[in-house]
Each structure stands twice: as C-alpha cells, then as structure tokens.
Amino acid sequence: MKKRAGVLFAVGATAAGLVTAVPPAVSADAGATSAAAGSTLTWTGCGTKKYPKLQCSSVEVPLNHADPRGRKITLALSRVRHTAKKFQGPLLVNPGGPGGSGLSLAGFVAGALPKKVAAQYDVIGFDPRGVGASTPALDCRPGHSSPVRPDSVPRGEQDERANLRRAQAFAKACGDKYGDVLPHINTVSAARDLDVVRRALGARQISYFGYSYGTYLGAVYAKLHPQRVRRLALDSVVDPTGTWYHNNIAQNYAFDARHKAFAAWVAKYDATYGLGSDPAEVEAKWYGMREALRKRPADKKVGPAELEDTYLSGGYFNGYWPHLAEAFAAYVNEKDALPLVGAYKNFGATGVGDNGYSIYTSVLCRDASWPRDWGTWREDNWDVHEKAPFSTWNNAWYNAPCAFWPTRSLNPPDVTNDKLPPVLLLQATEDAATPYGGGVTLHRMLSRSALVVEEGGGNHGIALTGNACLNRHLADYLATGKVPRGSGSGDADAVCDALPDPKPLPPERAAIPTEGSTLHGLLGFRA
C-alpha cells in the first residue's frame, strides 16, 4: 500500500446531451444460478501490524465485459472476515481516486466501525482495474510529477508550452504503453467488475461504502445492478451530472475558499505563527512565499507547483493545518526551508503516485468528453484564476492530458434510480473536493436516499473520523438499513455539527494520530 492512495472531486453541471442510460452488461450474472453459489475465492493471511486480521485474494475479470470469454485481468482483494453469528454479507469499501487502492481501507473500516456492526460483515477492500496490486497495474510515464515542475501559472507562451509538452507526453506515453487496455479503463467497466466480485464472493447482494470518487463508482454500480444492492453508503459525494471538466473548473472556487479558511486560522493564532492577525495579510504572505520559490525552489524540490501540491492537502483535511502553518512560518519568518521540504514530502510529494495518476487520467479522460481545443482550457482557467488563484492552474495541468487523450470519450451514465433500498449520503457543507451541491444533486436523483449533512465541516471524507454524530448514522444504517427522514432543514434529512478546527501543535511538536489523519493517509487527495 502506498502512503497516499488518491481520490477525486466534483461539482458543476455537464453540458446538455451528454447524459445517457447505462447499457445492459452483456456478462451480468452469466452462468450464475438463481441462488448465489458458494465463494470461489481462496483467502490467505496478509495482515499488517496495523491491520493484523487482513486476508488477501484475487479474482479474474474480463478486460472487455462485452467479450466475457476474451482477455482476463486480475483484481486484488482484501478482507476482514465477520465474526458474529448474525452475518449481513459482504461490505465492499472504496477510497476514491480514481486510482485509490482499497486494500488497507478494509482494515481501517472494520476497525473504525463499532465492533458489533463490523462483526456482522465481511469487509472487502479491492484495487480496481489497473490499480496497485491488480494486474496489469498502469504506470504510463514514471516520474512524470518529479520536481521541480514548471510553474503552474503561465507567465507567457514559454511557460504554457512547457506544461503542454508535459501533458502531451503523458497522454502519448499512456497510448504507447497501454493502447489495448485504455478503452476499458473507465467507471462503467470498474462497476461491472464489482458484480464479478459479488459472484466470486457467493453473495446474492452486496453492501457498499465509498468515499469521494467511490461514491460515483457506487452510484454507477447501483444503476447497473439495483437488485444486487443491499446497503449503499456514500461519503463526500461526487456530483454525477458534472463529470468531469466542469467539475474541475467549479472545484477551484471551493479550494480557494478553503485556502482562505486556512489563512484565517493562521491569523487566529498569530501569537504562535507570527504571520499576522489579518487573514488577507497571511494570504498575501503565502503568495509572497510562492513567488520566492518560483525564483529559487527550496532544496531543488519545492517550486510553486510543488508548494500548491503541498497546501492543497489542507483543503482536504484541516488536521494538516498545524503542520502546514509551521512550515509556512519557518520559511517566511526564519528563512528556513527545511520544514517546507518536509511538508512537501509528507503531504505533497507522493500525491497519488505514478500508478494512481495513470488510473486517474485513464478513467476521467475516457469517462466523458473534454475540450480538445486548448484555447477553451486557456480561456476558462484564466477566467477562474482571476477569482480563485490558489489552485486553478495547478488543477488544469493535472487534468490537461485529457485534451490529448488517445482514446475517444464515452457518455457518462444517468445514475437516477428509483429501484434501490434506502441509501445513506454523508456530506460536509464546506467540502472543497466534492462540494455540497453534489450531495444534494445525488440525493434528488436517488429516490429513497437520505442526506446527512455535517454543518460547517470543510473536510473531505467525514465518516469514521471522530464525529460521533456522523458515525452513529453510518453504524445505525449498516446495522439496520434504516435512514433518517426529514429531521434536518432544507435538503438535509439530518444535521451533525462539525468538529472544531485543530489547535497549533504543542511545544514538543508531537502530534497525536487521529482517526481523521489515519483515514486521510489512506484517501490521499486530488478528490
């Protein structure tokens, strides 16, 4: 398992005409009897010090589900087995991405849920097609994100051409290495894989718990196989009507707002950090640091693009704010770049990794249409940058290979669904990676869903991170299948107060690991 696995994002509205119905799966339940057969999987111990009960297995799936007897690929699976007499079947878990490995997430979820609830499920983690321990595992262009990258904000044609060359080189490398595989790396194919996993587990139905992009994967699976869904819990919801270009454009505003929230937090603790008591002053100093790093990257590792990568992590999880603030203060006040380099290594350097980024681009670029005229990207991103400069161009270059992708794009499915049992949605109001509107949109598209809102919360991935109210709703749902109905306000069926923001680290600088930091170590960012 990589330290960071990755995730994805969402918001916005897709262009009219792109949404289509999901075609039926040719291979769905082919050869299966009306009663679920016993499991065909062999499990072996693969426990770690942190997750000693993990077991591992693998399953073959068709590369092309329209040709079930053709070429096969392999998915890696993990499991924490049920121990209670009352067995509620398999609970598949996914951390998002696309590109996130879910093997360790099974151990985390099984350990974080109340013991009585976890004991009733086989908690199943998996590496989706192309990811991690699954084979083949894609790695289009090793070292693509190695520092120091060109400044993400173009200062002229030369800067723009440098970033364009990188994006084009990555897209070409993917096509050259995996031309036969790329047409089958997409969300619908990954969702079809889940039903192969279900059959291999010998289960009539599965329950599913997904974070971030994992919410979209779960919604697509539910559209394909509504009769196979027993429970469906989705945390930090991707707007399924905005895949994917418009999601990224709109997401930039939300991340800029979270960066401003970080600056306000730093200003609140001016006595600790000495960066000013006015949030605008703090933010100006951050941009001053960015400019200084453009002229002279820290330790030849942290330039402006790497700085953005590092502080973007704070937009996903405010538990990182004390560490980021210390590095910021050391650089500005003491001219000491070492803490900043350390922060980059801990929060920015690994990102989603070469494999995770290869899957991220392969899925998103194939899933839906992207502008092929770079002039559209240039105009749109400069317009957004004027209002939200923190990560707009960084995000643009992260997704820019899709302008040159070697496979044609599919039409995203319409996940509207009135055939499911009650569904639980969990959403923070200030989430930057998957803004609040996405949760409301999916709530309206899933007729029996309930939306639990974390009021004032800004983190991405909120269940099992220490909020007792959210955890109770998730545990009750997995235990009983019941969801809250209409006790909240507006679109919310229930409301939980957000946890307070963190405080500065103690003088000894020993931060105590929390449930939130453990989860976000598995989720990573870019979601």
Side-chain angles (χ1 to χ4, degrees):
M1 286 288 299
K2 296 182 177 69
K3 182 178 179 182
R4 284 190 166 10
V7 242
L8 202 5
F9 33 78
V11 83
T14 191
L18 290 182
V19 176
T20 61
V22 180
V26 174
S27 61
D29 265 336
T33 61
S34 57
S39 174
T40 60
L41 299 173
T42 300
W43 296 93
T44 58
C46 60
T48 65
K49 185 176 181 180
K50 197 164 193 176
Y51 306 116
K53 296 180 181 179
L54 277 180
Q55 299 174 321
C56 290
S57 188
S58 63
V59 63
E60 285 191 338
V61 299
L63 174 64
N64 180 0
H65 282 277
D67 181 18
R69 293 180 176 82
R71 178 180 171 186
K72 301 296 193 296
I73 59 175
T74 302
L75 304 186
L77 307 176
S78 66
R79 176 179 75 170
V80 176
R81 196 174 185 184
H82 75 283
T83 56
K85 290 183 179 180
K86 180 179 180 181
F87 178 45
Q88 299 214 48
L91 171 64
L92 274 65
V93 297
N94 180 267
S101 169
L103 300 184
S104 289
L105 185 65
F108 171 81
V109 170
L113 284 171
K115 290 182 180 180
K116 185 177 180 180
V117 177
Q120 297 175 14
Y121 286 92
D122 282 349
V123 183
I124 307 293
F126 61 96
D127 280 356
R129 54 174 52 206
V131 174
S134 295
T135 57
L138 273 58
D139 186 352
C140 294
R141 191 171 183 243
H144 175 74
S145 296
S146 297
V148 170
R149 306 197 309 274
D151 189 347
S152 57
V153 180
R155 293 172 180 264
E157 286 189 22
Q158 185 175 351
D159 287 349
E160 187 171 349
R161 282 197 302 267
N163 277 303
L164 280 173
R165 283 194 296 268
R166 290 184 69 254
Q168 291 167 328
F170 187 87
K172 183 178 185 303
C174 283
D176 290 347
K177 291 180 73 173
Y178 303 111
D180 58 336
V181 175
L182 290 185
H184 310 291
I185 305 296
N186 57 78
T187 299
V188 170
S189 293
R192 297 201 198 285
D193 290 343
L194 298 187
D195 213 54
V196 178
V197 173
R198 175 193 62 78
R199 297 199 301 269
L201 291 168
R204 279 185 176 274
Q205 294 180 308
I206 61 170
S207 296
Y208 178 94
F209 175 39
Y211 291 97
S212 193
Y213 165 81
T215 67
Y216 183 62
L217 177 61
V220 172
Y221 176 79
K223 183 69 174 185
L224 289 167
H225 302 290
Q227 76 281 10
R228 299 301 187 191
V229 176
R230 187 168 183 273
R231 309 257 162 86
L232 184 64
L234 306 177
D235 183 326
S236 303
V237 178
V238 166
D239 183 344
T241 67
T243 53
W244 291 110
Y245 179 76
H246 297 285
N247 285 2
N248 282 275
I249 288 291
Q251 183 190 40
N252 297 326
Y253 293 103
F255 271 109
D256 196 79
R258 286 306 287 164
H259 190 59
K260 285 180 167 58
F262 166 68
W265 181 86
V266 172
K268 178 180 177 181
Y269 293 104
D270 180 45
T272 300
Y273 301 116
L275 290 165
S277 57
D278 178 2
E281 179 186 359
V282 173
E283 191 175 20
K285 288 182 178 178
W286 189 91
Y287 283 103
M289 175 171 65
R290 187 191 188 283
E291 176 62 17
L293 292 167
R294 185 183 72 84
K295 296 175 181 177
R296 186 180 179 183
D299 197 30
K300 299 182 180 179
K301 290 184 176 67
V302 183
E306 290 75 27
L307 181 75
E308 290 162 345
D309 291 349
T310 304
Y311 283 80
L312 191 67
S313 66
Y316 287 88
F317 179 49
N318 63 4
Y320 298 147
W321 285 3
H323 304 279
L324 297 174
E326 288 200 341
F328 180 12
Y331 184 88
V332 172
N333 297 332
E334 301 169 26
K335 312 304 179 187
D336 182 1
L338 288 180
L340 190 63
V341 175
Y344 168 64
K345 290 178 179 178
N346 286 327
F347 306 119
T350 54
V352 298
D354 289 340
N355 170 244
Y357 183 61
S358 296
I359 294 298
Y360 173 95
T361 47
S362 296
V363 171
L364 297 200
C365 299
R366 175 69 166 149
D367 261 7
S369 296
W370 295 75
R372 293 286 180 159
D373 177 2
W374 182 252
T376 300
W377 293 66
R378 181 190 298 116
E379 182 177 353
D380 288 345
N381 283 284
W382 276 124
D383 285 348
V384 178
H385 176 84
E386 289 182 4
K387 306 175 188 71
F390 168 59
S391 64
T392 293
W393 274 107
N394 186 297
N395 203 14
W397 296 120
Y398 197 80
N399 292 279
C402 292
F404 312 102
W405 205 247
T407 64
R408 68 177 182 84
S409 297
L410 302 172
N411 287 332
D414 178 356
V415 300
T416 302
N417 207 322
D418 60 3
K419 299 177 181 179
L420 295 173
V423 173
L424 183 68
L425 308 179
L426 302 152
Q427 186 69 40
T429 58
E430 310 306 316
D431 183 356
T434 52
Y436 179 72
V440 173
T441 296
L442 188 61
H443 181 31
R444 294 171 179 172
M445 295 174 76
L446 304 182
S447 62
R448 301 185 66 193
S449 65
L451 178 62
V452 177
V453 172
E454 186 183 44
E455 184 66 41
N459 289 339
H460 179 67
I462 54 176
L464 306 182
T465 61
N467 188 316
C469 175
L470 293 171
N471 293 351
R472 183 176 64 253
H473 281 292
L474 177 62
D476 288 350
Y477 173 67
L478 293 176
T480 68
K482 296 179 181 179
V483 296
R485 291 296 182 196
S487 58
S489 59
D491 291 290
D493 291 284
V495 176
C496 296
D497 292 334
L499 296 175
D501 285 336
K503 293 184 178 181
L505 296 177
E508 61 271 19
R509 299 295 187 263
I512 300 173
T514 64
E515 291 168 305
S517 63
T518 300
L519 175 65
H520 285 83
L522 296 173
L523 298 187
F525 55 91
R526 287 288 178 188

